[in-house]
Amino acid sequence: MSSAQFEIQLIASLVAVACAIPGTFLVLRKMAMISDAISHSILPGIVVGFLITHDLNSPLLILLAALTGIITVVLVEYIQKTGLVKEDTAIGLVFPALFSIGVIMIAKNANDVHLDVDAVLLGELAFAPFDRLIIGGIDVGPKSLWIVGVILLITITLLFTFFKELKISTFDKGLAASLGFSPAIMHYGLMSVSSVTTVGAFDAVGAILVVALMIAPAAAAYLLTKDLKKMLGIAICFGIFSAIFGYWVAHWLDASIAGSITTVLGIVFLIVYLFAPTKGIIAVLYREKQQRTEVSLLTFLLHLKNHDEESERHVKHLNEHINWQKVRSKTVLDLAKKNNMILIENNIVSLTQKGDEFTSKAIDYIITNEDTQIEDMKDDFFLFRG
Amino acid sequence: MKKIAVKVDDLTVAYNYKPVLWDIDLEIPEGVLMAIVGPNGAGKSTLIKAILGILKPIAGSVAIYDKPYEKQRQLVAYVPQKGSVDWDFPTTALDVVKMGTYGSLGWVKRPSQKEKKAALEALEKVGMLPFKNRQISQLSGGQQQRVFLARALVQNASIYFMDEPFQGVDATTEIAIINILKELRKAGKTVIVVHHDLQTVPEYFDWVTFLNVKKIATGPVKDIFNDDNLTKTYGINYKVSIQE
């Protein structure tokens, strides 16, 4: 692995971490689309910044562009507040307008601006190692590495300092406000960090990948944990993994790095979406099936409890009485037998004491939803897990 | 004469310049358990939010024990409507209760063992200790409301504002909650509850405020909870039988 290769992966990984942190909060605040808006509408800011500084890596350019990001958020909120259009419509109106202004500005100043729209959309990570930062005649590494590094450092510092405030204002705005943690400050703080991160990552990975890096790792992590800190950690890991693995995919396929990283992000999300232990699609389907079986079991037990007459409890006639198909009756019968809830004598089914107690307890619980004794049953039966 | 815990003067609140509360004057004496009643859209939640500085009024002022709310945050606990938060948020019951301690911590400082202990005690008080590590989406509606109540209790405030704490909870939880509120009153705290169920007002509360954009009446339940005020508030001929 050459040093240029290493530097590219390092930059991509730092960008991934810097994106995953604000991205986690954007996902939790249901504001994923705003990152898409910011990533596009900072373009005019970048162009203006470039015309002034003639340096794509100048801090002034980053601040100017980030400011355009904030303006986007303010505009979206302003339009939405008039009550005439909904938030998603407002986003759809604002960012194309700002983005197109940027596109026109690039075209009009083509001689001065060495920016092309392709690079803006997809980034030029492969070229990042060529633009070096030279301090006192010494090469200290690629400029974008330093920029992303500084942004990441700021983001992490802010995260550690204001973690509690971010959490409470994301979860419960009203409580945060009443306790004196201004939700507006946290909101615009998060928007500023998202904007600065977007600009910093923009040069390296482009507008489309920035969005993917912010949203996909956080969305996948959301399906895997019930703890905010872990969600942040998992999102960061997914980001780094996709950055590095994506780089090698691009290397093997001789394809765009940004495109490959985005693809890996998509695949990571898809895998989690399918296989996440409790929130994944397969787990949900399995749970539903289990729940259906358990409801059937309970219906069956209740039928036995309510009917003393043998004609109602004959093995052969069960499906007629409860109106089920044979297969389902068999499954339920086996399940009940396995759990020692029923007894079959001369083809007549009756409840065991355990089955009888279980039925009363379960019905009580389902009707009142209020019985602490049910807690241990939750380990065995999905039905009671709510 | 009792001290005045909350004093509202000429409060007017508007959404997009459409007033939802008109010129409210209200004095809530210390140590009452008060219901705020009124029809949908009467501005009950808005009144609480304006008192707590969550909404900015276009006119008027609020005083908590004679000082502006911003100076008295420590004295006040707030239980928002259960539906106002996302219960799928990745956090546990214990963690939500800990949020109640954030106010006394102030900016930046993190909760320590002391805050955790206080949160556990509050969970115990509402009977939710066995569920402390449960993700909040896996709690029933009643359990979620208890967690919210615990979060307010942990603030150890003097005044409690609650926005429809009985909404969507089972009967057992409702009784558990009202018992805790009555205990708070016994301890000299002031409790203000936005309430929907008129039937239970005389049984649960000793003070009541009728609200419908304007204040209709406020005072002891036994003096003012009558058909006349109910009719004025709800606009139709209202009859409730109050058990003597």
Side-chain angles (χ1 to χ4, degrees):
Chain A
M1 191 163 63
S2 73
S3 79
Q5 284 179 323
F6 175 74
E7 281 169 2
I8 291 174
Q9 289 173 66
L10 189 59
I11 294 171
S13 301
L14 293 188
V15 167
V17 178
C19 286
I21 293 170
T24 298
F25 290 97
L26 291 177
V27 166
L28 289 174
R29 288 168 175 244
K30 305 179 175 63
M31 292 173 65
M33 281 315 289
I34 204 82
S35 69
D36 193 24
I38 291 175
S39 71
H40 283 79
S41 58
I42 57 176
L43 184 61
I46 291 179
V47 179
V48 172
F50 190 77
L51 289 174
I52 297 172
T53 62
H54 291 278
D55 177 8
L56 263 180
N57 292 317
S58 138
L60 179 67
L61 177 138
I62 292 180
L63 286 179
L64 266 177
L67 194 67
T68 343
I70 306 289
I71 291 173
T72 316
V73 176
V74 174
L75 277 177
V76 167
E77 279 165 7
Y78 179 79
I79 296 178
Q80 189 195 346
K81 226 179 243 167
T82 60
L84 300 174
V85 294
K86 299 260 181 282
E87 189 189 7
D88 55 341
T89 315
I91 291 176
L93 288 168
V94 171
F95 87 78
L98 289 168
F99 185 72
S100 55
I101 291 173
V103 172
I104 293 173
M105 280 162 79
I106 292 179
K108 288 296 279 180
N109 299 288
N111 294 332
D112 301 319
V113 187
H114 297 286
L115 260 177
D116 67 273
V117 177
D118 275 2
V120 164
L121 286 175
L122 297 171
E124 286 183 344
L125 201 48
F127 298 144
F130 296 122
D131 194 5
R132 317 294 296 185
L133 182 65
I134 314 281
I135 299 177
I138 304 165
D139 178 359
V140 289
K143 272 187 188 166
S144 20
L145 182 63
W146 281 93
I147 292 171
V148 174
V150 169
I151 291 174
L152 178 59
L153 203 66
I154 296 172
T155 307
I156 289 177
T157 311
L158 288 172
L159 176 72
F160 273 94
T161 314
F162 297 111
F163 183 72
K164 160 177 126 253
E165 288 77 7
L166 266 168
K167 180 161 78 177
I168 192 170
S169 64
T170 303
F171 174 62
D172 192 339
K173 244 195 256 178
L175 182 76
S178 80
L179 293 179
F181 302 111
S182 160
I185 292 180
M186 297 322 293
H187 173 70
Y188 285 107
L190 179 62
M191 289 300 114
S192 306
V193 169
S194 305
S195 297
V196 172
T197 306
T198 306
V199 186
F202 200 84
D203 184 33
V205 294
I208 295 172
L209 182 55
V210 174
V211 182
L213 276 174
M214 284 207 175
I215 305 309
Y222 179 76
L223 297 177
L224 287 174
T225 177
K226 38 188 176 175
D227 180 298
L228 179 56
K229 280 179 194 159
K230 284 184 194 148
M231 181 174 165
L232 274 162
I234 295 172
I236 288 170
C237 291
F238 279 152
I240 296 175
F241 169 79
S242 307
I244 294 173
F245 191 60
Y247 170 78
W248 288 104
V249 170
H251 185 76
W252 293 320
L253 297 177
D254 193 19
S256 143
I257 300 173
S260 303
I261 294 178
T262 314
T263 308
V264 173
L265 281 168
I267 292 169
V268 166
F269 177 79
L270 185 68
I271 291 172
V272 172
Y273 179 73
L274 289 174
F275 301 107
T278 55
K279 291 185 185 168
I281 285 288
I282 291 173
V284 168
L285 289 177
Y286 173 72
R287 202 157 53 231
E288 277 173 6
K289 181 174 172 281
Q290 201 71 12
Q291 214 154 18
R292 259 200 311 275
T293 314
E294 284 170 10
V295 171
S296 307
L297 170 69
L298 203 54
T299 315
F300 169 58
L301 294 177
L302 196 62
H303 174 83
L304 294 179
K305 202 173 154 73
N306 287 342
H307 291 280
D308 286 333
E309 57 275 34
E310 294 199 345
S311 61
E312 288 274 353
R313 298 194 277 120
H314 197 277
V315 172
K316 291 268 153 47
H317 301 303
L318 280 175
N319 33 352
E320 292 162 33
H321 286 295
I322 336 187
N323 204 5
W324 284 341
Q325 285 165 351
K326 277 210 174 112
V327 185
R328 193 158 162 211
S329 312
K330 178 102 173 56
T331 322
V332 169
L333 208 63
D334 290 346
L335 183 66
K337 222 158 56 180
K338 206 179 88 194
N339 282 295
N340 293 325
M341 287 175 180
I342 52 166
L343 215 65
I344 304 177
E345 281 171 339
N346 305 327
N347 283 338
I348 301 297
V349 191
S350 52
L351 283 176
T352 60
Q353 199 185 339
K354 186 188 170 200
D356 189 66
E357 278 168 14
F358 174 83
T359 315
S360 331
K361 228 166 154 186
I363 293 295
D364 267 2
Y365 176 74
I366 285 167
I367 293 169
T368 60
N369 201 19
E370 200 47 51
D371 184 0
T372 39
Q373 289 174 334
I374 216 86
E375 283 308 307
D376 46 330
M377 286 161 75
K378 289 188 181 182
D379 296 331
D380 300 323
F381 293 92
F382 288 102
L383 199 55
F384 307 121
R385 286 180 206 167
Chain B
M1 184 63 196
K2 270 185 173 174
K3 275 201 270 184
I4 299 300
V6 182
K7 191 166 190 297
V8 176
D9 270 320
D10 307 322
L11 189 78
T12 299
V13 185
Y15 287 120
N16 294 326
Y17 302 102
K18 185 174 173 288
V20 281
L21 282 177
W22 264 126
D23 199 35
I24 306 291
D25 287 303
L26 185 63
E27 285 185 355
I28 305 171
E30 183 178 55
V32 297
L33 176 47
M34 184 181 95
I36 302 176
V37 297
N40 285 333
K44 304 184 293 286
S45 302
T46 310
L47 176 60
I48 288 190
K49 285 182 185 160
I51 292 174
L52 297 175
I54 298 169
L55 289 173
K56 218 171 127 53
I58 56 174
S61 64
V62 173
I64 307 286
Y65 286 112
D66 299 325
K67 285 189 193 139
Y69 173 72
E70 289 70 33
K71 295 216 166 93
Q72 305 279 52
R73 286 186 204 282
Q74 305 289 344
L75 300 179
V76 177
Y78 170 47
V79 180
Q81 272 186 34
K82 197 161 66 65
S84 67
V85 306
D86 174 13
W87 290 94
D88 283 325
F89 192 85
T91 189
T92 59
L94 176 61
D95 209 35
V96 170
V97 177
K98 266 203 238 163
M99 289 181 194
T101 67
Y102 287 8
S104 61
L105 287 169
W107 286 84
V108 180
K109 213 175 149 209
R110 307 252 189 125
S112 64
Q113 282 303 316
K114 190 179 131 217
E115 279 76 25
K116 187 179 172 187
K117 208 176 134 240
L120 288 171
E121 280 169 16
L123 275 170
E124 171 125 58
K125 239 181 249 172
V126 300
M128 286 292 293
L129 201 53
F131 304 91
K132 64 179 193 293
N133 291 324
R134 176 106 26 119
Q135 215 249 320
I136 52 173
S137 66
Q138 288 170 346
L139 299 170
S140 71
Q143 292 171 333
Q144 290 173 342
Q145 193 65 59
R146 288 180 196 217
V147 169
F148 257 23
L149 182 61
R151 190 178 69 175
L153 292 177
V154 84
Q155 292 185 47
N156 205 5
S158 305
I159 308 172
Y160 291 81
F161 289 93
M162 311 203 173
D163 204 341
E164 307 223 11
F166 305 116
Q167 198 178 44
V169 308
D170 51 282
T172 328
T173 302
E174 179 155 339
I175 293 164
I177 292 177
I178 196 65
N179 284 338
I180 290 170
L181 300 192
K182 284 178 175 170
E183 261 171 49
L184 287 173
R185 177 183 53 189
K186 221 179 272 169
K189 318 273 190 184
T190 311
V191 185
I192 296 137
V193 179
V194 170
H195 194 57
H196 235 100
D197 182 8
L198 292 171
Q199 300 294 333
T200 52
V201 168
E203 185 190 331
Y204 290 175
F205 301 95
D206 60 2
W207 209 264
V208 65
T209 293
F210 290 95
L211 190 74
N212 191 356
V213 186
K214 292 192 297 181
K215 184 189 77 183
I216 312 291
T218 183
V221 171
K222 60 176 170 26
D223 297 342
I224 67 158
F225 193 71
N226 52 38
D227 293 347
D228 184 32
N229 279 328
L230 283 164
T231 307
K232 274 187 198 156
T233 310
Y234 289 86
I236 39 171
N237 236 340
Y238 227 100
K239 292 257 183 275
V240 286
S241 51
I242 301 169
Q243 290 147 3
E244 291 297 326

